[in-house]
Amino acid sequence: MPGADSPDELQKLADYAEALSAGAGARNRLSCTGDAARVAAALERLSEQLAARNRQIAQYQAALDRAHTRFGEALRSTHDLDRMLEIALETGMEAIRARRGLLLVLKGQGTLVAGVSRNLELDSLKLAPGRGIAGHVAATGTAVVVPSSAAPERDPLEPEFSTQVSVPLFTNQRTFGVLNFYDKSQGNFTETDLRTILSLSDQAGVAIENVLLHEDAQRMAIMDGLTGIWNHRWFQIQMAQELDRAERFGRPFSLLVMDIDDFKLFNDTYGHQLGDFVLVELARRVKSSVRDVDIFARYGGEEFALLLSETDSSGSANAAEKLRLAICSTPFETSMAPEPLTVTVSIGVASFPEAASDGAGLFRAADTAMYRAKALGKNRVVVYDPAGHSS
């Protein structure tokens, strides 16, 4: 046929194509004419394009590997949950070249609230359960990429950008929140970007779960397991700090020691389960009656202790009387007892610096006053008087 390439040139072209695929052809350009020359030139261009694409992929993978490494190191270096959330958002933005980011945290019955944001003008954001793109991600556990015909309708409260990727953030197989990235620096977010963010999200979820477990362990170490208030150990630490502040700034504070009257009788009559109920309910009543700055703890058995910051003996006596009434004026009702229980407490009050100048002395003074209240008939408040005239 006229213009047809010879079998010899076709064989050369085939050999050249194989050399290009092996990465060696461009160094030994094919000398040919006609259609074979045009095909060879096209193969060379395709080879160059593929090589450039491979370089881009290698650079992207290297950047991704660096992001994963930095991400892992940063997450391992902190037990601060807020800082960890910031790291997760910032690393994700860098990895997929997003200009803006928002991490929403799941609260209550599925409401999403803004946790961390970058380059967004948000005073606050709260999405009702299931609302918008982020609500859909949280409710279904599936990622969303915008633009996409499958993307759900955006809530008016959500940031509005033409490009977006949102992925769920799981901890212990439960949805913790939603990572949202907006406004890609070039083009649209790709499937590769989505896989990248899902990988980072998995890594962040494990790290966040570890932090939450660490926080739980810390709480367990300083809280009473039955009543949910502070335990003896934490109270001693707070007592030392309060004493230090009082000494440095010349401020008063008071210690209340509270003991449930005839508690053994409740246990002997109705069983220890009812005794536990009394402890829990008493703790609830006291906790709801004191200030946030006050430290309330179970000190041992049926004995409780309360630190009243910047409160003198007169103020602490009034506070103690209010607590006594909060406990005894309304009976404790439970199906474990045939009738409502009247629970009373004896409270001893000792104030710094009148009663004592150190922690151990203050405890002895408050304890002495509490036992004085018991001796006087129980269900009363006694303020320690160094002169021996407790009242």
Side-chain angles (χ1 to χ4, degrees):
M1 292 178 60
D5 294 308
S6 68
D8 184 51
E9 284 188 324
L10 291 176
Q11 183 60 52
K12 288 181 181 179
L13 187 61
D15 292 341
Y16 185 60
E18 289 184 3
L20 282 174
S21 68
R27 295 193 300 271
N28 303 289
R29 293 189 179 276
L30 180 64
S31 177
C32 56
T33 61
D35 291 340
R38 288 191 292 273
V39 172
L43 287 173
E44 288 173 3
R45 289 193 298 272
L46 179 61
S47 176
E48 290 170 357
Q49 291 170 358
L50 289 174
R53 178 60 176 164
N54 286 336
R55 286 193 296 272
Q56 290 177 348
I57 292 173
Q59 291 171 356
Y60 183 81
Q61 186 60 51
L64 183 59
D65 290 342
R66 289 194 298 272
H68 270 290
T69 300
R70 289 197 304 272
F71 191 40
E73 290 173 350
L75 293 181
R76 287 190 296 272
S77 68
T78 180
H79 279 126
D80 183 337
L81 181 59
D82 291 338
R83 179 56 188 149
M84 187 167 289
L85 298 182
E86 292 174 354
I87 292 169
L89 189 67
E90 291 165 359
T91 305
M93 288 174 62
E94 180 183 352
I96 63 172
R97 299 178 178 88
R99 291 191 178 99
R100 310 169 203 281
L102 171 64
L103 194 158
L104 294 166
V105 179
L106 205 62
K107 298 288 186 181
Q109 301 300 312
T111 300
L112 286 168
V113 298
V116 183
S117 67
R118 289 293 180 269
N119 304 327
L120 290 171
E121 295 182 1
L122 289 174
D123 293 332
S124 63
L125 176 63
K126 183 180 292 187
L127 287 178
R131 295 282 300 177
I133 294 173
H136 172 82
V137 172
T140 63
T142 58
V144 169
V145 177
V146 176
S148 168
S149 59
E153 183 178 354
R154 190 187 309 275
D155 188 276
L157 296 175
E158 290 184 280
E160 186 173 358
F161 294 94
S162 60
T163 54
Q164 174 179 348
V165 58
S166 297
V167 301
L169 182 58
F170 295 110
T171 57
N172 195 25
Q173 300 181 334
R174 293 183 298 179
T175 303
F176 176 84
V178 179
L179 279 163
N180 305 275
F181 301 94
Y182 310 96
D183 196 18
K184 186 175 173 70
S185 58
Q186 291 182 345
N188 294 331
F189 291 113
T190 65
E191 285 298 317
T192 301
D193 291 330
L194 177 58
R195 287 194 297 271
T196 297
I197 291 303
L198 287 172
S199 175
L200 291 175
S201 175
D202 287 343
Q203 193 175 356
V206 172
I208 291 169
E209 184 176 339
N210 288 337
V211 169
L212 295 176
L213 289 173
H214 178 75
E215 290 180 349
D216 285 343
Q218 285 187 317
R219 280 194 294 271
M220 291 295 291
I222 60 177
M223 296 188 75
D224 177 57
L226 176 65
T227 61
I229 61 176
W230 303 120
N231 63 16
H232 179 280
R233 173 192 175 199
W234 183 246
F235 190 85
Q236 290 283 15
I237 293 172
Q238 294 301 302
M239 177 75 169
Q241 293 179 355
E242 187 66 39
L243 184 63
D244 179 64
R245 283 192 295 269
E247 289 174 338
R248 284 190 291 122
F249 301 110
R251 296 171 180 170
F253 76 96
S254 296
L255 169 66
L256 276 61
V257 171
M258 178 187 311
D259 189 87
I260 300 176
D261 297 326
D262 303 314
F263 182 71
K264 185 175 183 298
L265 183 62
F266 291 124
N267 283 332
D268 292 344
T269 305
Y270 303 107
H272 288 277
Q273 190 173 1
L274 182 133
D276 288 348
F277 162 77
V278 169
L279 293 170
V280 171
E281 175 61 15
L282 183 142
R284 185 195 67 79
R285 293 190 187 190
V286 173
K287 193 172 180 180
S288 64
S289 300
V290 299
R291 303 169 300 179
D292 290 340
V293 296
D294 299 327
I295 306 297
F296 180 50
R298 184 180 178 192
Y299 209 71
E302 67 271 25
E303 191 170 82
F304 297 82
L306 176 65
L307 274 180
L308 298 178
S309 180
E310 298 192 20
T311 307
D312 59 18
S313 58
S314 176
S316 58
N318 291 333
E321 182 61 20
K322 289 178 181 178
L323 292 177
R324 185 189 69 80
L325 291 174
I327 294 165
C328 72
S329 59
T330 303
F332 288 34
E333 296 190 36
T334 172
S335 59
M336 290 179 282
E339 57 186 21
L341 303 172
T342 298
V343 178
T344 66
V345 293
S346 297
I347 304 176
V349 179
S351 298
F352 174 89
E354 298 92 342
S357 58
D358 60 81
L362 207 59
F363 265 106
R364 283 194 299 271
D367 220 33
T368 298
M370 184 271 293
Y371 281 110
R372 175 66 175 162
K374 294 277 191 187
L376 291 172
K378 306 174 185 176
N379 189 24
R380 66 189 64 218
V381 174
V382 170
V383 178
Y384 179 80
D385 181 354
H389 305 295
S390 300
S391 60

